Amino acid sequence: MKRTFTLALSLVLMSVMALGQSLEPFFSSKPGRVLVYENLDADGNLISVNADSLAVMTGDFEEGQATVVSTIINQGDSSRFRSKVLMKFDRGEVIMDMAALMEEAMQEGMRQSMDAMGGGEDAESQAAMNEILDRTTVTGECRGIPEELSVGMELTDYEIEIKVMFITSKMGCRDRKVIGRESVTTPAGTFDCYVVEETMTAKAMMVNEKTRQVSWYARGIGLVRQQTFDKKKLTGTTILTSIR
């Protein structure tokens, strides 16, 4: 009887300890690991490839941050765009610093536009670009996937506002919900995923767009697959093709 009681107590303690441990977040936290994704159009044609790898991480998933290096290669002209994506961790939730990412993207976009027009890196072009950037603000953050998920759970909405000179545009994500849990097989392997559905919105001057996204997330990896729809029509797919 005493041995049985001791064994039962041990099992209870082990269960409590397991529940108290932090769950693995939906993020690839292994330094040097590269996640390679293919971005496809509605017909399954390759548009671009992007490779993401963790460069630096400080703190932990309760309160820390990381820098992910993302390289995008366009299929049409083989052009490359490399950026450093800042991530923040808030009690296991991975949050992208969208303001910093969009600022860097706008800088690169303006540089490419000036190069295409023959402006290059001359002092006058640089001064014009700096003036635009000085009058540009990006506010808001891209909410992520919390470490504790369950089917039917509703996730936090978010909105990002971009002001360039006198033009204001907004990007948002709402109606976020965990709609299922599935095993997903891609060229990179088979993953146990939570399925998240959300509505993406974009407003700028006369533009008012709304699309639906369905995303599959795995612990220790992050995004495994994502599909974008205009109403019920599939417009694009992103899929994890390799982990190296």
Side-chain angles (χ1 to χ4, degrees), residues 93-110:
E93 181 180 359
V94 184
I95 303 171
M96 182 185 300
D97 189 344
M98 186 62 75
L101 177 61
M102 297 196 72
E103 183 177 351
E104 182 178 357
M106 286 188 290
Q107 288 176 343
E108 182 63 23
M110 282 189 282

Side-chain angles (χ1 to χ4, degrees), residues 12-23:
V12 170
L13 289 174
M14 288 174 64
S15 299
V16 171
M17 289 174 65
L19 289 171
Q21 292 175 352
S22 296
L23 295 169

Side-chain angles (χ1 to χ4, degrees), residues 22-33 53-69 84-95 147 220:
S22 296
L23 295 169
E24 190 174 16
F26 296 89
F27 182 75
S28 180
S29 59
K30 185 177 180 180
R33 174 193 280 171
S53 62
L54 176 64
V56 179
M57 181 171 173
T58 58
D60 55 27
F61 289 113
E62 288 299 303
E63 185 179 0
Q65 60 183 21
T67 300
V68 174
V69 176
K84 292 182 179 180
V85 184
L86 301 178
M87 315 294 289
K88 296 184 293 184
F89 307 121
D90 180 13
R91 290 165 294 179
E93 181 180 359
V94 184
I95 303 171
E147 64 179 1

